[in-house]
């Protein structure tokens, strides 16, 4: 994996943890776990700058449409 | 203390979503990229390209771990069951977020199938069946959540419309007609319902210090909109196929 892909993976994983943590706090789940996940996710997502589009990173394969389902 | 934590997390989440949305809209994708990702009135090619660029590393991981597309389809089914349980328990934010994750898993499994040359009719069939279950599980959870409210009926109308949108296309394709028309296809439904749940909770928490509003206010609006527009989409597809088949029958 290229550095660009790794960076995007880190940001996307950070966003996943951040939203999961926010959900646990705001849905009145385990708050300590939720706020820890939220802060850790925020750190991961913003570590190397904000989320941006980097079209050059997707060079190996073209994107074949967002909807993978033949029946939507 | 917990009110302040809620307020801080809600503010941080809104700011994060705002930054992500601004960046998604700020940088236009290259024309080559924009032409491959598709376009719809709700989800333009710019947003699709931005989102798919963040899913690509996970595709690479799946390839690295030798996962099969069907593994991701079953994972999607499992997460959908989780979404249903979370909605039924009133955990709208977490349920909405995981609903968006199920949509992402569905996108990745299709890409993985094409990249590993495993795209097959059997896989497409399994994927379609699991997608229908995933669609239904989300609405089922909301139906349980609204079991004592009039919004139970709105949810059921949205569920029926959502399944009919897919059915009309499948039936049309069975009769030899392509049918990709329609305002609200599946990605749009996922995005609307997922973000509807998320923003319901966020708006409720942010307004809590100033006024009391129902914490599912935004979701109620989204459900009414979905119930109306998915059924319109199903009707739109039915009329489209009716006319196409009529024209074909006359020409024979």
């Amino acid at each position: 994996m290229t550095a660009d892909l790794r960076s995007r993976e880190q940001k996307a994983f950070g966003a996943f943890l951040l939203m999961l943590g926010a959900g646990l706090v705001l849905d009145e789940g385990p708050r300590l776990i939720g706020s820890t996940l939220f802060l850790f996710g925020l750190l991961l997502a913003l570590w190397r700058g904000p989320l941006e589009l980097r079209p050059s990173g997707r060079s190996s394969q073209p994107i074949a449409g967002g909807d993978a389902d033949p029946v939507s | 203390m917990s009110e302040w934590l809620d307020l801080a997390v809600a503010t941080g989440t809104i700011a994060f979503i705002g930054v992500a949305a601004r960046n998604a809209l700020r940088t236009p994708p290259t024309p080559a990229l924009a032409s491959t990702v598709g376009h719809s009135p709700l989800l333009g090619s710019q947003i699709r390209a931005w989102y798919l660029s963040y899913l690509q590393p996970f595709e690479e991981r799946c390839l690295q771990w030798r996962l099969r597309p069907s593994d991701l389809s079953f994972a999607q089914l499992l997460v959908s069951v989780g979404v249903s349980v979370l909605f039924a328990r009133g955990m709208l934010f977490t349920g909405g977020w995981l609903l968006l994750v199920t949509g992402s898993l569905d996108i990745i499994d299709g890409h993985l199938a094409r990249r590993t040359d495993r795209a097959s009719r059997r896989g497409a069939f399994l994927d379609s069946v699991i997608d229908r279950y995933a669609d239904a599980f989300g609405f089922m959870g909301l139906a349980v959540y609204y079991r004592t409210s009039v919004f139970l009926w709105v949810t059921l109308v949205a569920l029926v419309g959502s399944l009919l949108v897919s059915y009309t296309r499948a039936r049309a394709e069975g009769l030899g007609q392509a049918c990709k028309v329609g305002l609200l296809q599946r990605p749009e439904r996922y995005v609307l319902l997922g973000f509807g749940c998320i923003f319901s909770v966020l708006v409720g928490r942010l307004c809590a210090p100033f006024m009391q509003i129902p914490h599912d206010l935004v979701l109620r609006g989204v459900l009414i909109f979905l119930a109306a527009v998915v059924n319109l989409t199903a009707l739109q597809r039915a009329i489209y196929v009716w006319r196409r088949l009529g024209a074909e029958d006359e020409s024979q």
Side-chain angles (χ1 to χ4, degrees), chain B residues 86-97:
Chain B
L86 288 169
F87 279 159
R89 292 169 61 96
M91 298 178 78
L92 296 179
F93 189 112
T94 317
W97 176 239

